[in-house]
Amino acid sequence: MEVKNGIIIYGVLHELVETKRNDCSKCSLRNECYSSDYLICDMFGAGKYEYFVNRGKVTDIKIDKEE
C-alpha cells in the first residue's frame, strides 16, 4: 500500500483521505485533536473535505529515496 498523506501514532497508520462532506466525527484522530491545543488536520494542510482514516497497525515500512 502506498500512502502519500499519513501519520503513524502508537504504531497505527492514519491516512488523510478526501470525502464529499465535512464531517470530523468520522475522523480516526478526533480524540487526539480534542485532547490537544491544535488540530492535526491544520498541521497537514488538509482541506475542508478531508479527514483521517485508520488503516491499521504498521508492520513494515519501506521508504523510496529520491536522487
Side-chain angles (χ1 to χ4, degrees):
M1 172 194 274
E2 183 175 328
V3 177
K4 298 279 184 185
N5 291 319
I7 185 170
I8 298 171
I9 298 179
Y10 305 121
V12 177
L13 173 64
H14 301 270
E15 183 179 12
L16 188 63
V17 296
E18 190 171 342
T19 62
K20 295 185 181 195
R21 61 186 180 141
N22 185 7
D23 190 1
C24 288
S25 68
K26 296 191 181 291
C27 182
S28 62
L29 296 177
R30 70 181 174 279
N31 292 335
E32 299 294 328
C33 285
Y34 292 152
S35 64
S36 69
D37 295 334
Y38 56 88
L39 297 176
I40 296 172
C41 288
D42 288 345
M43 291 173 44
F44 272 76
K48 182 177 179 182
Y49 298 106
E50 293 180 305
Y51 63 83
F52 285 93
V53 175
N54 183 332
R55 296 292 190 204
K57 190 156 183 67
V58 176
T59 57
D60 188 24
I61 299 174
K62 294 180 183 176
I63 300 172
D64 293 333
K65 293 183 180 180
E66 292 185 21
E67 295 183 34

